[in-house]
Amino acid sequence: MMDLRPVGYVIGLLVAVLGIAMLLPLLVDLAEGRDHWPVFAESALITILTGGMIALSCANGVREGLTIQQTFLLTTGVWLALPIFGALPFVIGATEARFVDAFFEAMSGLTTTGSTVFSGLDDLPKGLLLWRGILQWLGGIGIIVVAMVFLPELRVGGMQIFRTEGFDTFGKILPRATEIASRISVIYVALTLICTLCYISAGMGSFDATVHAMTTIATGGFANYDASFAAFGPAASYVATMFMILAALPFVRFVQLSAGTARPLLYDTQIHVFLVTAFCIVSLIAMWNLWQTGAWGEGAVRTALFNTVSLMTGTGYANADYMQWGSFAVTVLFFTGLIGGCAGSTACSIKVFRYQLLFASIRAQLQKTRSPHGIFTPRYAGRPVGEDVLNSVMSFFMFFTVTLGLLAVGLAMTGLDFVTALSGAATALANIGPGLGDEIGPAGNFAGLNDTAKWLLSAAMLIGRLELMAVYVMFTLQFWRA
């Protein structure tokens, strides 16, 4: 029988850390002179005590290594447990928030999706606004560690191709995760601080700058205002665009850069493809808007740049209602959200490297068709790609497509129209943020959806953030028998 104590120990510690993080918005509400601080005091007490007791009860089972089954269970268990406790401030503090809404918001935060059920953000207590930012910030650094430590070892969606990035973790999951997390944390905190200072220089107040820096570096997209980035000036949009792009690059390259090695960052083909793709889509959207409306100049280019980068990185900010740009632009932006950023970043969705491997495989197959007796091997960054990697990538695309279809059908069965159901399924599974249509588009939110739809979307956020197979494998009998 599987020993669950190592899993419970780590989850308990992380829950307790989440409770400690609740003290920050508590202090903000106290400094503001609001009577909202007891909400975070009560939530923190419940979370710290529960997490501490779970960790203490499982401490006698801690080992240096984890089995594959324990690693799968830990990866999914963390992202299921933390939103439950992360929802407490919303349930206790916002009287209109039922648990389904609070859980949806917390899951959206920790998976850095950015979809929200809250309206009237302008009037929310600063403590709750900061808490939303903290959830996304913690989720951002958490997913980097998962992507660099766990997913390559679990061979999820072709991520094993990155096992050669200097992070050999087999059999040493816990100590290696701590080492990697400490190195990544320095870069992550530094980027957040620099982003905060840039936002302040762009005209934001210190509080708005701090919260938006958290959600920008996490590519999460939670904003402090219903109008999102339309509430700020042009300079803030440029700052956000720059840091969304940086956050969508592999953080291992920043670690190598800080060690004095710039070559991996400059010669990473994944980064090249990401930047070229973003440039092409921005140019296409800008030219389309010029043809449709005649609008040109700095403002038109800035709007196309900001919203395209926001959707491609899965951040979900908006500084305009792109639903008004016409069906062609909306269709392009919909598929842009399904591209994603680079592996090992805070960005979400399918990821650029999988498209690279897909096209490399297609090219090799075409060459074999043309020359049946030739030997053609798909290559990535100049290296031959193993059959196991290609099979994992193809399986990921298949599971993503099937899951997207089933989820869209399930949402439609709850009464949602076609556009809302399909775009809602895509934005949740790819962790993008806003969907399409008047209800869940950039000018709306998810508050009006029925409870069943919110639970389905919450599950999709979790499945999509953990690259599908890390969750699905636990629904097989062989996983529990092994």
Side-chain angles (χ1 to χ4, degrees):
M1 183 176 177
M2 187 188 308
D3 186 0
L4 300 179
R5 290 175 297 175
V7 176
Y9 177 74
V10 176
I11 292 177
L13 285 181
L14 293 177
V15 167
V17 169
L18 187 71
I20 295 172
M22 293 176 183
L23 300 178
L24 293 176
L26 182 153
L27 295 175
V28 168
D29 280 338
L30 272 177
E32 286 285 307
R34 290 177 175 266
D35 57 359
H36 198 263
W37 65 268
V39 168
F40 288 100
E42 184 177 345
S43 301
L45 182 64
I46 294 171
T47 305
I48 293 172
L49 287 179
T50 304
M53 287 188 292
I54 293 174
L56 286 174
S57 64
C58 299
N60 61 339
V62 175
R63 299 185 180 88
E64 186 170 291
L66 294 178
T67 66
I68 291 295
Q69 290 91 339
Q70 288 171 334
T71 306
F72 272 114
L73 194 60
L74 174 62
T75 304
T76 304
V78 167
W79 253 263
L80 187 59
L82 294 185
I84 294 175
F85 291 93
L88 291 179
F90 300 125
V91 174
I92 299 172
T95 55
E96 73 281 1
R98 298 168 300 133
F99 182 74
V100 60
D101 294 316
F103 183 81
F104 180 97
E105 194 79 5
M107 180 64 79
S108 178
L110 283 162
T111 58
T112 69
T113 302
S115 304
T116 184
V117 293
F118 289 142
S119 55
L121 295 174
D122 309 48
D123 301 320
L124 279 183
K126 284 190 174 181
L128 281 180
L129 293 175
L130 178 59
W131 181 238
R132 295 168 80 244
I134 289 173
L135 285 176
Q136 291 206 322
W137 193 79
L138 292 175
I141 192 171
I143 203 61
I144 295 173
V145 174
V146 167
M148 295 178 65
V149 180
F150 295 95
L151 297 185
E153 288 299 333
L154 301 179
R155 300 176 179 271
V156 170
M159 287 294 290
Q160 60 265 40
I161 198 172
F162 298 107
R163 287 184 64 184
T164 59
E165 295 288 356
F167 298 108
D168 184 13
T169 61
F170 186 73
K172 303 176 182 178
I173 290 291
L174 292 182
R176 198 58 173 150
T178 303
E179 179 184 343
I180 294 174
S182 63
R183 296 169 64 183
I184 289 297
S185 296
V186 175
I187 304 296
Y188 195 74
V189 171
L191 282 175
T192 305
L193 291 175
I194 296 171
C195 185
T196 301
L197 295 175
C198 289
Y199 274 139
I200 292 174
S201 300
M204 282 191 186
S206 57
F207 178 78
D208 285 337
T210 301
V211 174
H212 286 88
M214 287 180 172
T215 59
T216 300
I217 298 303
T219 59
F222 274 164
N224 288 348
Y225 303 94
D226 290 333
S228 191
F229 259 72
F232 304 110
S237 293
Y238 284 119
V239 170
T241 301
M242 178 178 65
F243 281 96
M244 284 189 289
I245 291 174
L246 289 175
L249 304 184
F251 271 67
V252 65
R253 301 305 180 206
F254 296 138
V255 173
Q256 293 166 331
L257 182 63
S258 66
T261 307
R263 184 179 177 83
L265 177 67
L266 298 176
Y267 290 90
D268 191 328
T269 59
Q270 185 182 195
I271 295 176
H272 298 165
V273 172
F274 169 73
L275 295 177
V276 169
T277 303
F279 175 80
C280 291
I281 296 175
V282 169
S283 301
L284 180 63
I285 295 296
M287 288 188 292
W288 169 260
N289 287 344
L290 172 64
W291 181 57
Q292 286 291 100
T293 66
W296 187 246
E298 181 271 333
V301 174
R302 182 183 71 249
T303 303
L305 173 66
F306 179 87
N307 290 281
T308 299
V309 170
S310 177
L311 288 173
M312 186 170 175
T313 59
T315 307
Y317 289 142
N319 63 2
D321 185 2
Y322 46 77
M323 292 300 300
Q324 308 302 317
W325 293 356
S327 57
F328 173 78
V330 170
T331 302
V332 171
L333 290 174
F334 173 79
F335 287 106
T336 296
L338 298 180
I339 297 174
C342 302
S345 69
T346 61
C348 51
S349 199
I350 293 175
K351 303 290 194 313
V352 169
F353 86 94
R354 291 195 176 97
Y355 288 103
Q356 291 179 267
L357 291 172
L358 174 65
F359 289 125
S361 178
I362 292 174
R363 180 184 179 186
Q365 289 300 320
L366 290 175
Q367 290 174 325
K368 288 180 181 178
T369 302
R370 186 180 65 246
S371 305
H373 301 293
I375 300 177
F376 304 98
T377 304
R379 305 181 76 84
Y380 176 82
R383 303 193 307 268
V385 180
E387 196 70 25
D388 63 323
V389 174
L390 293 177
N391 289 339
S392 295
V393 170
M394 299 307 165
S395 297
F396 179 89
F397 276 105
M398 183 196 71
F399 272 103
F400 188 92
T401 304
V402 171
T403 303
L404 178 62
L406 292 176
L407 182 59
V409 170
L411 291 172
M413 291 176 65
T414 69
L416 303 185
D417 62 85
F418 173 77
V419 172
T420 303
L422 180 60
S423 66
T427 195
L429 193 61
N431 306 113
I432 300 170
L436 301 180
D438 296 331
E439 187 170 14
I440 64 172
N445 59 45
F446 290 70
L449 302 188
N450 58 76
D451 288 357
T452 304
K454 290 174 184 175
W455 285 120
L456 286 173
L457 292 172
S458 297
M461 293 178 208
L462 171 67
I463 293 170
R465 183 77 276 193
L466 296 181
E467 311 281 355
L468 285 81
M469 265 83 82
V471 179
Y472 286 152
V473 70
M474 291 191 299
F475 290 93
T476 63
L477 291 176
Q478 290 84 354
F479 173 82
W480 299 102
R481 288 174 178 172

